[in-house]
Amino acid sequence: MLGQGTVIADGSGLSPRHRISPRSLVQVIRTAATDFDSGPEFLASLPHGGLDGTLEDRIKNGAKVRAKTGHLRHVAALSGVVRSDSGRRIAFSVLVNGGRGGRVAVDNAIDAFVSQIASDSAPASSEDAGLARLEP
């Protein structure tokens, strides 16, 4: 399931040797979210944008987002599922390495990108952008 070039060096998620693409993360999210037995629990385990967990103070514009955040020094990530204005569920992954402007600026840019997906003005599926529809 994980794409070519993926390296998981240890279980901590903190190793600088880890290598994974947004495309690979979207594949994992898509598979987990659409699994009949565990999909609902998987989605429910992710923080809800603007409401709880690490997304409580983010994505407060009404976009329906469930996602996992990640931060290390000069690294930020947000990967999960967004429900678009037309009702499509879209898996996404944004990984920023060496972003400029500080953590808040990078998070704001990521949130704006995810909100754009929710507004139906982004493509429904683009492997290069780390997006994929959950439903066929």
Side-chain angles (χ1 to χ4, degrees):
M1 173 190 327
L2 296 176
Q4 186 175 7
T6 298
V7 175
I8 299 176
D10 62 33
S12 74
L14 300 175
S15 173
R17 296 182 319 221
H18 287 310
R19 299 288 180 266
I20 191 162
S21 69
R23 181 184 304 171
S24 292
L25 284 172
V26 164
Q27 285 179 299
V28 170
I29 293 164
R30 193 175 190 189
T31 299
T34 57
D35 182 78
F36 180 79
D37 293 324
S38 61
E41 287 81 6
F42 167 73
L43 291 173
S45 75
L46 298 174
H48 194 265
L51 295 176
D52 59 20
T54 55
L55 291 180
E56 183 175 12
D57 294 325
R58 293 180 61 181
I59 311 177
K60 292 188 169 203
N61 62 358
K64 292 179 172 61
V65 178
R66 288 198 169 269
K68 174 71 179 96
T69 61
H71 289 96
L72 293 172
R73 186 179 178 131
H74 304 294
V75 176
L78 186 66
S79 300
V81 176
V82 62
R83 182 172 299 279
S84 71
D85 292 341
S86 65
R88 293 180 302 161
R89 291 188 313 158
I90 302 169
F92 70 90
S93 180
V94 181
L95 307 177
V96 178
N97 192 359
R100 299 183 193 150
R103 179 177 168 166
V104 172
V106 170
D107 284 352
N108 287 342
I110 292 171
D111 294 353
F113 175 76
V114 172
S115 295
Q116 191 75 18
I117 298 168
S119 73
D120 283 321
S121 57
S125 184
S126 171
E127 290 184 9
D128 292 336
L131 302 173
R133 260 185 162 173
L134 292 186
E135 296 89 7

